[in-house]
Amino acid sequence: MDLDFGDYDAPDYFTEDMIPEDMDLSDLDLSNIPEDVLEQLMAKYFQNNYETYDYESDPQPVDISYVEHFKDCGLPTLQQAIQIIGPLLLLSVCVKLSAVTGFPKVLVHLLSTATGLVSLYLFFHTSLHFLITFSILGYSLLFLLDQTNYQRKGAACAVMCLLYLLTLELFVAEPTEWHKVRGSQMILAMKIISMGFDLDTGQIPSLPGPVEYQGYCFCVGSVIFGPWTSYNSYLEVVQSSSLNWRWLFSGIFAVFLSLICLLLSTCVSSILFMTTEYKWLQAYRDAFSFRTSHYFVSYASEATAILVGFGETRSDDKITWNIPVARPWRVEIPRSLGEVVVSWNLPMHHWLKAYVFKISRPLGQFPAVLLTFMASAMLHGLNFQLAAVLISLAFISYIEFGLRKKLADAFSACILARSCKPECVHNYRTFHPIVLLMNLVFGLLTIFHLAYLGVMFDTDSSLQEEGYDMSHTLNKWSELDYASHYVALVTFLCYWLI
């Protein structure tokens, strides 16, 4: 069976003095993305409500009223979230309605640009000039390359984006200011690079005009949370005249799921294992909080993308809207670490597969995998913590893939890192007791790795303001005795000996 391992991808905030006691949104600086907002809200909530109790010195059961907990944590959190993402949802609807009501296409592009810039200002205020400058540089380079008939536009755009982002982070922007806009900068870089490669391959016949280009770059449906979308899919949004109740229902349902994940991250995970001193349960709790905060952002991005018109699908005269960003169930109940990496961020996974892995595949399987993870790390900025996690994921998932491939061939069993297709030729199929047991063991091992790798994504605002450094990451891992890396080493020895 020909298995493609390389379809993987792996992954800013209110400071404490910006969060007033009464949690009034009118006093908040909305220049930060909600993934860190929710973490800071959680930290502030527990500082206000539980700072007088020392759980470490007295790990006795505490009588907590879950009703009061929901009133104190759940309701304010939901109110804050709705007030933060509400404007994005309304602006997305405006762009969609302009497209279906027959506005001239140039006006739809201009409205897409304007609403995106308004959204950026609401979240980042004057820091949006970094993104405006970036988009102008991107188009200037594409125009110059197009005029000179240069045949490697994608590679040139990738180099330009890398140099621009590194220059900003190292020499221009303040650390706190940079971390605010890092997510949107990453999405914009992915759009510019993908446009360059698509021009090379002919998927985009000719360079778009500046109005169309800016409408794509600043489309309100993806400019804040993501997801990455191709230029051709953006044109489909502008040209579509479809609208029905499924569109609205799909958008509202995505908002509902995002709010559920927000509550899990801020109010549920915070009381998980609250009185335990066992470090691995605490690690799982912290990692779970981080993962659910990511799901919140993923579903919020799905909602804005659907409401602006992405994800339209026609089947038997039925029109539906669906643009999945993450698959939480495949992360929380995983088959393998590779499946987790793919399911974490599907649009970025597709981007990395198309514009990094396939291009570097001639170098070999493992070099292409490693370059894919390195590209993901560089898009996220010079962040040792994230780079360490992504590189660790590359090695651990590759080792797991290789080991399970050898075991599947040796025992003719469906224990590959990916689920077997219905026509597989293994003797021992998916529901055989031994196969179920082996897949369960590997699934539990994946949960172990996730707790270890995600433990350093905590809510320490003093570190978040400038990014986590090397010492923070190594200290977190040392508290868990570097267990995941040792397990990976043992796994590699098993892979090498078989």
Side-chain angles (χ1 to χ4, degrees):
M1 179 176 293
D2 183 17
L3 297 176
D4 186 346
F5 169 74
D7 303 346
Y8 299 154
D9 160 47
D12 266 290
Y13 35 115
F14 280 94
T15 58
E16 185 174 341
D17 58 346
M18 292 164 59
I19 304 179
E21 296 293 332
D22 58 2
M23 306 297 285
D24 184 1
L25 185 70
S26 62
D27 297 326
L28 293 176
D29 180 0
L30 296 181
S31 61
N32 306 308
I33 68 172
E35 182 166 347
D36 294 310
V37 172
L38 61 93
E39 293 175 350
Q40 293 305 317
L41 291 176
M42 180 178 67
K44 185 64 178 178
Y45 168 72
F46 277 94
Q47 177 184 353
N48 292 340
N49 291 277
Y50 298 109
E51 61 185 356
T52 60
Y53 192 88
D54 187 355
Y55 293 104
E56 294 185 359
S57 63
D58 184 17
Q60 299 297 319
V62 182
D63 184 17
I64 297 177
S65 170
Y66 293 104
V67 174
E68 290 299 321
H69 179 68
F70 179 74
K71 290 181 180 179
D72 293 339
C73 178
L75 293 179
T77 299
L78 289 175
Q79 181 182 6
Q80 293 288 332
I82 292 172
Q83 290 175 319
I84 289 172
I85 68 176
L88 284 178
L89 301 175
L90 292 176
L91 291 172
S92 299
V93 170
C94 289
V95 174
K96 176 61 177 175
L97 293 179
S98 70
V100 301
T101 52
F103 274 45
K105 301 310 177 187
V106 64
L107 292 183
V108 179
H109 291 301
L110 290 173
L111 183 61
S112 177
T113 304
T115 52
L117 291 175
V118 169
S119 301
L120 288 170
Y121 181 79
L122 289 175
F123 279 84
F124 308 134
H125 296 298
T126 56
S127 296
L128 70 87
H129 71 273
F130 291 126
L131 291 138
I132 295 175
T133 302
F134 195 8
S135 69
I136 294 174
L137 284 175
Y139 190 78
S140 299
L141 177 62
L142 286 170
F143 181 80
L144 178 63
L145 297 175
D146 184 66
Q147 293 299 307
T148 57
N149 291 320
Y150 188 71
Q151 299 302 312
R152 296 185 178 271
K153 301 180 182 65
C157 287
V159 172
M160 184 277 293
C161 290
L162 177 61
L163 292 176
Y164 178 79
L165 295 177
L166 289 178
T167 301
L168 275 185
E169 187 167 5
L170 292 175
F171 306 111
V172 180
E174 294 293 329
T176 53
E177 190 176 27
W178 170 253
H179 281 279
K180 294 176 184 178
V181 299
R182 186 180 61 189
S184 292
Q185 293 271 34
M186 179 178 68
I187 294 296
L188 182 54
M190 292 168 67
K191 289 182 176 181
I192 294 172
I193 294 171
S194 66
M195 180 172 284
F197 279 111
D198 288 347
L199 285 168
D200 290 337
T201 60
Q203 294 185 53
I204 301 177
S206 60
L207 181 67
V211 174
E212 292 82 359
Y213 168 84
Q214 296 294 352
Y216 168 58
C217 288
F218 294 115
C219 178
V220 67
S222 60
V223 71
I224 300 295
F225 301 112
W228 167 80
T229 56
S230 68
Y231 177 72
N232 287 331
S233 63
Y234 166 74
L235 288 183
E236 292 176 1
V237 169
V238 173
Q239 297 167 1
S240 173
S241 59
S242 303
L243 192 66
N244 59 27
W245 64 270
R246 292 188 183 90
W247 162 75
L248 185 60
F249 174 80
S250 298
I252 293 176
F253 185 65
V255 173
F256 171 76
L257 293 177
S258 72
L259 296 178
I260 293 296
C261 293
L262 174 61
L263 290 177
L264 289 174
S265 178
T266 57
C267 302
V268 175
S269 65
S270 57
I271 60 176
L272 286 176
F273 318 122
M274 187 163 54
T275 60
T276 185
E277 292 184 327
Y278 186 53
K279 60 185 179 182
W280 280 101
L281 288 180
Q282 294 176 344
Y284 177 82
R285 176 196 61 203
D286 295 342
F288 177 77
S289 176
F290 166 71
R291 293 197 304 270
T292 48
S293 69
H294 169 74
Y295 305 150
F296 161 70
V297 173
S298 297
Y299 280 119
S301 69
E302 186 175 327
T304 56
I306 288 175
L307 291 178
V308 89
F310 288 108
E312 179 182 337
T313 304
R314 294 176 179 269
S315 177
D316 298 328
D317 296 329
K318 184 175 70 173
I319 303 175
T320 58
W321 279 265
N322 183 34
I323 180 169
V325 176
R327 292 173 178 156
W329 59 93
R330 292 193 176 180
V331 178
E332 300 305 315
I333 310 176
R335 177 184 177 90
S336 66
L337 198 59
E339 184 177 70
V340 169
V341 172
V342 172
S343 302
W344 183 257
N345 189 326
L346 294 170
M348 191 168 189
H349 149 68
H350 292 307
W351 187 92
L352 288 168
K353 177 184 177 182
Y355 303 112
V356 182
F357 179 77
K358 287 185 175 180
I359 294 174
S360 58
R361 187 69 178 271
L363 300 176
Q365 183 84 345
F366 181 70
V369 171
L370 190 59
L371 284 173
T372 301
F373 279 87
M374 290 177 64
S376 178
M378 307 226 19
L379 282 171
H380 285 84
L382 295 178
N383 185 319
F384 176 84
Q385 174 196 29
L386 191 56
V389 170
L390 291 175
I391 299 302
S392 297
L393 277 171
F395 280 95
I396 297 173
S397 57
Y398 186 82
I399 293 169
E400 180 196 20
F401 171 84
L403 175 61
R404 296 180 72 166
K405 179 69 166 61
K406 284 190 173 183
L407 291 174
D409 292 341
F411 298 103
S412 188
C414 295
I415 54 176
L416 293 165
R418 302 277 184 87
S419 298
C420 289
K421 296 180 180 180
E423 61 272 16
C424 87
V425 295
H426 291 134
N427 294 330
Y428 300 99
R429 307 298 290 273
T430 301
F431 295 104
H432 188 278
I434 300 300
V435 173
L436 289 174
L437 178 61
M438 290 298 298
N439 286 328
L440 175 62
V441 170
F442 279 111
L444 292 175
L445 185 61
T446 298
I447 293 175
F448 162 78
H449 286 306
L450 288 177
Y452 175 85
L453 295 172
V455 70
M456 77 280 295
F457 293 96
D458 55 24
T459 58
D460 189 334
S461 60
S462 62
L463 292 174
Q464 283 184 352
E465 290 180 7
E466 297 188 4
Y468 297 101
D469 55 19
M470 181 187 301
S471 62
H472 172 79
T473 302
L474 297 181
N475 286 338
K476 285 289 187 178
W477 280 348
S478 66
E479 292 174 2
L480 297 176
D481 305 314
Y482 297 100
S484 182
H485 287 96
Y486 286 124
V487 170
L489 178 60
V490 173
T491 306
F492 173 74
L493 292 176
C494 294
Y495 164 74
W496 182 64
L497 292 173
I498 294 178

